[in-house]
Amino acid sequence: MRIIAGSKKGMKLLGPNTQSSRPITDRVKESLFSVLYKYGLPEGAIVADLFCGVGSLGLESLSRGAEFVKFVERDPRIIALLNKNIEKAGFTQESKVIRANAFAIGAVGSGTQEYSLVFVDPPYAAAMNVQPDSPLGGLMGLFGEQVVDDGLVIVRTSGEVALSERYGQFQIAERRQWGTMAVTILEKIK
């Protein structure tokens, strides 16, 4: 696992020594960021990386010009690796790590709409139910006050999961599938 483009291109990321982790591959990450470029992201963006693990997506965003990333992870062992990756990349001033359950707090906004890009990468088992009353649906509801108009929420799930067409103010803009995983891009509608 590494940062694949931008100012920290080629930097290897520390990863957990566990079989339960499912890091995003370099090929898929490159494809995802190619899609994000057509939306003008992540350059200058305020980003939230939820269920971030060791920070692969958030650190890639910073390397590619994001202004700031808030990382949300609840496993203290993973947070220790995340902090090492942030320090190694030299992004301590451009990031903040919060230990919490992202389903409960969302992107941890200050009550103002501040995020233009949010990555949501929960464990696949936690994202099998995508109904509005599910934990994922509830999380999408929190984003209404945390994401700017026209902001994007990127949800990574198993390829067999199809998100609802709409969650409150968020509507599917596009869906991509790579192998057994899918990425759904939802845009906040004004």
Side-chain angles (χ1 to χ4, degrees), residues 26-106:
D26 288 351
R27 182 181 66 81
V28 170
K29 189 165 36 171
E30 178 62 39
S31 297
L32 172 59
F33 276 87
S34 291
V35 171
L36 291 177
Y37 275 129
K38 82 177 192 181
Y39 293 95
L41 294 168
E43 181 73 35
I46 305 295
V47 179
D49 189 356
L50 310 185
F51 310 95
C52 67
V54 297
S56 179
L57 294 171
L59 290 168
E60 188 73 37
S61 296
L62 287 167
S63 181
R64 292 174 184 241
E67 185 178 319
F68 187 84
V69 175
K70 194 171 288 182
F71 295 93
V72 180
E73 173 60 49
R74 72 183 202 179
D75 185 330
R77 294 166 299 180
I78 301 297
I79 289 173
L81 292 172
L82 169 62
N83 283 323
K84 288 178 183 177
N85 283 332
I86 291 169
E87 189 174 325
K88 181 179 175 183
F91 290 135
T92 55
Q93 297 299 311
E94 298 88 357
S95 60
K96 181 173 183 173
V97 177
I98 297 188
R99 181 178 176 211
N101 176 354
F103 281 127
I105 63 170

Side-chain angles (χ1 to χ4, degrees), residues 1-2 4 22-31 56 156 178 181:
M1 198 169 21
R2 64 189 175 95
I4 52 177
R22 49 180 181 72
I24 192 166
T25 66
D26 288 351
R27 182 181 66 81
V28 170
K29 189 165 36 171
E30 178 62 39
S31 297
S56 179
R156 181 178 174 210
W178 294 283
M181 71 147 249

Side-chain angles (χ1 to χ4, degrees), residues 89-164:
F91 290 135
T92 55
Q93 297 299 311
E94 298 88 357
S95 60
K96 181 173 183 173
V97 177
I98 297 188
R99 181 178 176 211
N101 176 354
F103 281 127
I105 63 170
V108 196
S110 59
T112 61
Q113 297 174 340
E114 57 184 310
Y115 298 99
S116 47
L117 178 61
V118 177
F119 294 105
V120 179
D121 193 6
Y124 281 174
M128 295 305 283
N129 180 357
V130 296
Q131 298 304 312
D133 63 347
S134 70
L136 184 62
L139 179 60
M140 293 299 298
L142 293 174
F143 293 147
E145 296 179 3
Q146 299 174 338
V147 175
V148 298
D149 290 342
D150 297 326
L152 297 183
V153 175
I154 313 299
V155 181
R156 181 178 174 210
T157 62
S158 166
E160 55 201 46
V161 172
L163 269 64
S164 297

